[in-house]
Amino acid sequence: MAEESKKGADVAITDIYNVEAAEILANEAQHLPILEAAPIYEKLLSTFPTAAKYWKQYVEAYMNVNNDETTKQIFSRCLLNCLHIFLWLCYIRFIKKVNEKKGAEGLEETKKAFDFMLSYVGSDIASGPVWMEYITFLKSMPVTTAQEESHRMTSVRKVYQKAIITPTHHVEQLWKDYENFENSVSRALAKGLLSEYHPKFNSAKAVYKERKKYIDEIDWNMLAVPPTGTCKEEQQCMAWKRLLAFEKGNPQRIDAASANKRVTFTFEQSLMYLYHYPDVWYDYATWHAKSGSVDSSVKVFQRALKALPDSELLKYAYTELEESRGAIQPAKKIYESLLANDASTMSLAHIQFIRFLRRTEGIEAARKYFLDAQKSPTCTYHVFVAYAMMAFCLDKDSKVAHSVFEAGLKRFMHEPRYILEYADFLCRLNDDRNVRALFERALSSLPPENSVEIWKRFSQFEQTYGDLASMLKVEQRKKEALSRTAEDGSSELESTLYDVVSRYSFMDLWPCSSKDLDHLARQECLAKNINKKVDKSSLPNGANIVEKGSFGLITTSKVGPPSTKLVYPDISQMVVYDPRQAQGLEIPAVLSSATSTSSVALVGSGNTKAVDEILKVVSPALMAFITHLPAVEGPSPDVDMVLSILLQSTTPIGQLGKPTTQQIPAGPAPSTSDLSGSSKTRFNPNGSSRLPREGHSWKRKDLDRKEDDESISVQSRPLPRDVFRLRQLQRSRGVSSSQTGSVVSGGSAFSGEQSVSAD
């Protein structure tokens, strides 16, 4: 145990949000004296301030040693932030213990504690036992007069009536107890009260069933840690948000105050587990604001900033709320806290504070702050651009804006983005002379590798404001400047039709079709790489890859057409290859002679006689089709699928009863090595019979279903498996053997004279 504790402490130092280490420390603390355990609990609770189970362990440790004062202090720290029913039950147990010897005064204190507890956690789905315990406590209170008895019965009735309209696990049991209570007091009065509250009870029971579905998705033992994007964290976050959406919809149709109280309770519970999620805090605060409780929204933001002090988003959202309700000074303090952050975020804080000052205190205050901010060494060009555009667009003062841009140019001439922003401003003033001067100054000082965007904008500017000569001149200068950075800049200097496209386009209007545009883009890419071997993945889809082959020859290979959709292979027919499962026929992949009726040597499982008998039945066209299939090393084609494709062929059918002659190209004669090893085509008899549906129709129209009078004689030899399946498919579709005189597929035909009747 000591070793585990030490290990947990070491891990907790390096990773304070390590859940496993926290559990080890908590388990160790339970076995230590309270004076030794207290520092461990304080450390755990500083990291997990909403962990109700750790608070419960901590407070119970002090309760066990009867340290009531420290116990009260701990409860005051945790109760309102941890709305967990078991922690609150521990609180009630403590209150009962403290007040049990105080007589009537102690009973009254206990009653107040129950009321306090139910006002916070009474709407919890697990609060049924608390309602029952409170009712039992009220019933046990001593009375001496009839008036006190009447007052006690009235108190019990009110608690019952609240309990039976609260969706909890024990709502049905509470209803039965309430019925018994009312009937025991007065049957006449009970009838009216029960009929009044029965619909409300039914509504609570229905809402309980719906709420339970959302509650069951939540892990109540989860600790509040910063989000890391794990699947479990995302699931828990969405489970809480679904529960919140359910509660916001007021499913029980109760009054607005009660409904808002339940939503508040659900938000508070969610923050026990989503304590480090800024979006949950923001949703909670904005919900309060929309509900009309701006003060509550402010309190939520204040709590959120204590939980997440580094969250800029929450600070900006909080300033919006304060500014919107006219609280300028609190908003200003938040901006000052933002400005105290690190330099990486200070420029944005400067910009937003300048805008805030202009909105709230005027132009002069904003100008004064800008003059101070620009002296800061951490001030970036963004602040100059923001203030200049604010002066130009809001204050309508182009002179101030121009002065700001010029002042910034002395510091940020090396920033291409600042140059472009300044150029845009000058273009708005129609000051084309100064725009050209700005581009020239920038291009003379920037290195070529940083001037690409400047050249591009300069070229666009000339296309809009310049004449043809200036436009072509800038284009040529751009090519010369950028070609210096390329390995081979000779091709960059040549003008292409793609340059004309770029000059004569406007927004999404192009002087050519998209097909032509793709062609030009490919050609430009090829021209750039014509003298070097390129990686195919670096070229656009659909481009011809130009590569240097042997002897210096240029060879090309085609890349697939461009596609915006990611296409995945069809693996529905894929099977795992196992040589032990190879059964059936194994057929060489080539023909042995040039004639279509030549004999083919088959290597099977050893029964060559049976194979020869099968070959006599199979037509030459079918044999040619089979033998021209590519050699397969691994899973073989599915016989059923091949036959189904042949049956669905849309190729014209030959004349019935007459052979269809067709030249069948002969393959090379098989060598000895072709008859064994990997150069075999294996049939998988156990393959899937799943057939394709797209592109084919199962219905055969315009076929004469009458069989010819002349039937084909039945061979006495057994049908091979593939031909037998062919006949099965024919019969299932109502096509006789004579109607399939020749089924042509892929240049091969099944001859009617050689087909076999399956009758």
Side-chain angles (χ1 to χ4, degrees):
M1 183 66 73
E3 247 181 68
E4 268 189 6
S5 177
K6 187 179 178 184
K7 183 180 178 182
D10 292 341
V11 175
I13 292 171
T14 56
D15 181 11
I16 62 171
Y17 292 109
N18 188 289
V19 176
E20 291 78 7
E23 291 293 336
I24 292 172
L25 288 174
N27 291 334
E28 176 66 17
Q30 282 185 301
H31 299 87
L32 294 175
I34 185 57
L35 293 178
E36 296 179 25
I40 298 176
Y41 282 122
E42 289 292 343
K43 183 178 180 180
L44 284 172
L45 293 169
S46 65
T47 305
F48 305 103
T50 57
K53 59 182 179 180
Y54 294 159
W55 283 111
K56 184 173 179 290
Q57 289 179 21
Y58 191 19
V59 77
E60 283 179 340
Y62 276 106
M63 287 172 63
N64 292 336
V65 295
N66 297 317
N67 191 334
D68 296 342
E69 193 60 35
T70 307
T71 302
K72 287 179 182 178
Q73 292 176 2
I74 296 173
F75 274 128
S76 66
R77 291 168 56 191
C78 67
L79 278 180
L80 299 184
N81 293 329
C82 298
L83 302 183
H84 198 287
I85 200 69
F86 298 110
L87 178 63
W88 282 78
L89 284 171
C90 184
Y91 164 71
I92 284 294
R93 193 167 70 248
F94 169 71
I95 295 296
K96 280 183 173 182
K97 177 185 173 183
V98 171
N99 294 288
E100 63 182 351
K101 295 180 181 179
K102 293 183 180 180
E105 184 183 349
L107 292 175
E108 189 62 28
E109 288 295 324
T110 304
K111 182 177 181 297
K112 288 180 181 178
F114 268 114
D115 290 332
F116 174 69
M117 176 180 179
L118 291 171
S119 67
Y120 278 93
V121 297
S123 58
D124 193 298
I125 198 171
S127 65
V130 181
W131 290 101
M132 292 179 174
E133 186 176 349
Y134 188 25
I135 291 168
T136 303
F137 169 76
L138 290 175
K139 288 180 178 179
S140 66
M141 290 185 71
V143 292
T144 55
T145 64
Q147 186 178 359
E148 290 178 352
E149 175 67 20
S150 176
H151 178 70
R152 185 180 66 174
M153 290 299 104
T154 302
S155 299
V156 172
R157 180 178 288 114
K158 286 181 179 179
V159 175
Y160 263 127
Q161 289 172 352
K162 288 180 182 179
I164 61 175
I165 63 172
T166 304
T168 64
H169 294 308
H170 298 79
V171 65
E172 292 190 45
Q173 182 62 44
L174 283 164
W175 172 255
K176 292 176 182 177
D177 293 346
Y178 178 54
E179 281 184 317
N180 296 333
F181 167 76
E182 290 293 359
N183 287 321
S184 67
V185 174
S186 172
R187 287 188 173 273
L189 182 62
K191 188 175 181 181
L193 289 173
L194 293 176
S195 62
E196 178 187 350
Y197 276 89
H198 193 265
K200 297 179 182 179
F201 156 70
N202 284 334
S203 176
K205 186 169 67 171
V207 170
Y208 159 70
K209 292 179 180 178
E210 288 298 317
R211 180 190 282 183
K212 188 175 182 298
K213 295 177 184 177
Y214 298 102
I215 294 292
D216 288 345
E217 296 179 0
I218 294 171
D219 180 8
W220 297 92
N221 292 316
M222 177 179 161
L223 290 176
V225 297
T228 57
T230 63
C231 182
K232 183 180 178 181
E233 288 176 357
E234 296 299 325
Q235 288 174 350
Q236 287 300 300
C237 183
M238 294 312 299
W240 276 109
K241 289 187 175 182
R242 283 192 290 268
L243 178 60
L244 285 165
F246 172 75
E247 295 294 352
K248 286 178 184 177
N250 190 7
Q252 202 172 343
R253 301 296 181 263
I254 53 181
D255 60 281
S258 300
N260 288 345
K261 194 173 181 181
R262 286 191 184 176
V263 176
T264 301
F265 170 75
T266 308
F267 264 118
E268 291 290 345
Q269 275 200 326
S270 69
L271 288 171
M272 292 171 56
Y273 306 93
L274 307 177
Y275 188 71
H276 297 278
Y277 286 67
D279 53 324
V280 179
W281 285 106
Y282 178 76
D283 291 345
Y284 189 18
T286 52
W287 174 81
H288 270 305
K290 289 178 182 178
S291 301
S293 182
V294 180
D295 292 337
S296 298
S297 181
V298 169
K299 290 178 182 178
V300 171
F301 270 123
Q302 290 172 349
R303 289 172 55 197
L305 292 178
K306 286 181 181 178
L308 303 170
D310 297 328
S311 176
E312 290 181 62
L313 279 174
L314 287 176
K315 289 181 180 179
Y316 285 124
Y318 185 21
T319 58
E320 277 187 0
L321 179 67
E322 294 286 19
E323 186 181 349
S324 65
R325 69 175 189 149
I328 305 303
Q329 290 306 314
K332 198 170 184 178
K333 287 182 180 179
I334 302 169
Y335 276 114
E336 289 171 355
S337 69
L338 279 165
L339 291 167
N341 284 353
D342 57 323
S344 62
T345 60
M346 195 173 290
S347 289
L348 181 59
H350 283 314
I351 293 168
Q352 298 303 334
F353 190 41
I354 289 171
R355 292 176 176 176
F356 168 77
L357 289 174
R358 189 193 175 280
R359 289 193 303 266
T360 58
E361 299 181 18
I363 298 172
E364 191 60 29
R367 186 187 70 82
K368 185 178 179 181
Y369 182 78
F370 168 70
L371 293 176
D372 293 336
Q374 69 173 342
K375 298 174 185 177
S376 171
T378 59
C379 179
T380 62
Y381 71 88
H382 305 84
V383 180
F384 283 81
V385 173
Y387 182 72
M389 296 311 297
M390 185 180 72
F392 178 60
C393 299
L394 301 179
D395 303 336
K396 314 299 180 185
D397 194 338
S398 59
K399 291 183 179 179
V400 172
H402 195 280
S403 300
V404 172
F405 270 119
E406 278 297 322
L409 193 63
K410 297 174 184 178
R411 292 176 57 179
F412 306 113
M413 179 63 81
H414 62 284
E415 293 285 352
R417 187 67 185 272
Y418 183 79
I419 304 299
L420 297 178
E421 292 290 342
Y422 190 9
D424 285 343
F425 164 72
L426 293 173
C427 287
R428 293 184 183 185
L429 297 179
N430 286 324
D431 192 355
D432 56 323
R433 180 179 174 182
N434 279 329
V435 175
R436 289 189 176 92
L438 175 64
F439 280 133
E440 295 293 351
R441 288 169 63 189
L443 292 171
S444 63
S445 60
L446 284 173
E449 59 271 13
N450 294 340
S451 63
V452 176
E453 289 299 320
I454 305 295
W455 277 113
K456 191 180 296 183
R457 187 67 63 85
F458 194 9
S459 177
Q460 292 173 357
F461 170 79
E462 290 296 346
Q463 291 172 20
T464 305
Y465 293 90
D467 53 21
L468 182 60
S470 63
M471 183 168 36
L472 296 176
K473 183 178 179 181
V474 170
E475 284 282 347
Q476 186 62 28
R477 287 178 59 196
K478 181 180 76 170
K479 288 178 177 290
E480 291 174 357
L482 299 183
S483 64
R484 297 171 196 160
T485 61
E487 294 179 5
D488 183 11
S490 58
S491 61
E492 295 285 341
L493 299 177
E494 299 178 4
S495 296
T496 64
L497 193 58
Y498 195 77
D499 298 329
V500 179
V501 172
S502 65
R503 287 198 294 268
Y504 288 92
S505 302
F506 182 75
M507 296 176 68
D508 59 342
L509 303 177
W510 302 89
C512 59
S513 65
S514 59
K515 183 178 179 182
D516 293 337
L517 194 64
D518 291 341
H519 170 72
L520 292 174
R522 289 194 299 269
Q523 294 304 315
E524 184 180 24
C525 185
L526 289 169
K528 289 180 181 178
N529 298 280
I530 195 168
N531 293 323
K532 59 183 178 180
K533 187 173 182 179
V534 297
D535 183 11
K536 297 183 181 182
S537 61
S538 64
L539 294 179
N541 289 336
N544 288 318
I545 310 302
V546 181
E547 301 176 337
K548 282 192 176 183
S550 55
F551 308 107
L553 297 177
I554 302 297
T555 60
T556 62
S557 59
K558 184 71 177 177
V559 182
S563 174
T564 58
K565 183 179 179 182
L566 187 61
V567 180
Y568 293 94
D570 181 12
I571 60 172
S572 59
Q573 302 295 328
M574 186 178 291
V575 294
V576 178
Y577 174 64
D578 187 351
R580 293 172 297 181
Q581 296 178 357
Q583 300 176 6
L585 300 177
E586 295 183 353
I587 305 173
V590 291
L591 284 175
S592 60
S593 66
T595 62
S596 62
T597 58
S598 61
S599 61
V600 181
L602 296 181
V603 179
S605 59
N607 191 355
T608 56
K609 216 170 188 183
V611 172
D612 291 336
E613 291 295 317
I614 293 173
L615 285 180
K616 293 177 183 178
V617 181
V618 179
S619 66
L622 179 58
M623 196 64 235
F625 170 76
I626 294 173
T627 54
H628 277 80
L629 289 174
V632 176
E633 182 69 21
S636 60
D638 187 357
V639 176
D640 294 339
M641 178 159 295
V642 172
L643 292 176
S644 68
I645 293 173
L646 294 177
L647 285 173
Q648 298 172 62
S649 174
T650 55
T651 310
I653 299 175
Q655 188 177 356
L656 296 177
K658 296 182 180 180
T660 303
T661 59
Q662 185 169 345
Q663 185 85 26
I664 301 174
S671 63
T672 307
S673 61
D674 290 331
L675 299 179
S676 62
S678 63
S679 300
K680 299 176 186 177
T681 302
R682 294 189 176 97
F683 275 65
N684 182 10
N686 299 320
S688 171
S689 60
R690 186 175 173 186
L691 304 178
R693 293 182 180 273
E694 297 180 3
H696 301 286
S697 173
W698 282 107
K699 296 182 179 179
R700 285 282 191 175
K701 296 183 179 180
D702 305 327
L703 283 177
D704 184 13
R705 297 183 178 275
K706 296 182 179 180
E707 296 185 358
D708 289 343
D709 294 333
E710 298 177 8
S711 61
I712 302 173
S713 61
V714 180
Q715 301 286 343
S716 59
R717 58 182 65 90
L719 289 173
R721 179 180 176 278
D722 53 348
V723 178
F724 178 67
R725 282 189 176 268
L726 174 63
R727 291 295 173 253
Q728 282 183 318
L729 288 171
Q730 288 175 347
R731 279 202 297 270
S732 67
R733 296 170 58 191
V735 182
S736 65
S737 59
S738 60
Q739 288 173 316
T740 57
S742 62
V743 183
V744 183
S745 176
S748 302
F750 298 121
S751 175
E753 291 181 355
Q754 294 173 332
S755 63
V756 181
S757 174
D759 295 335

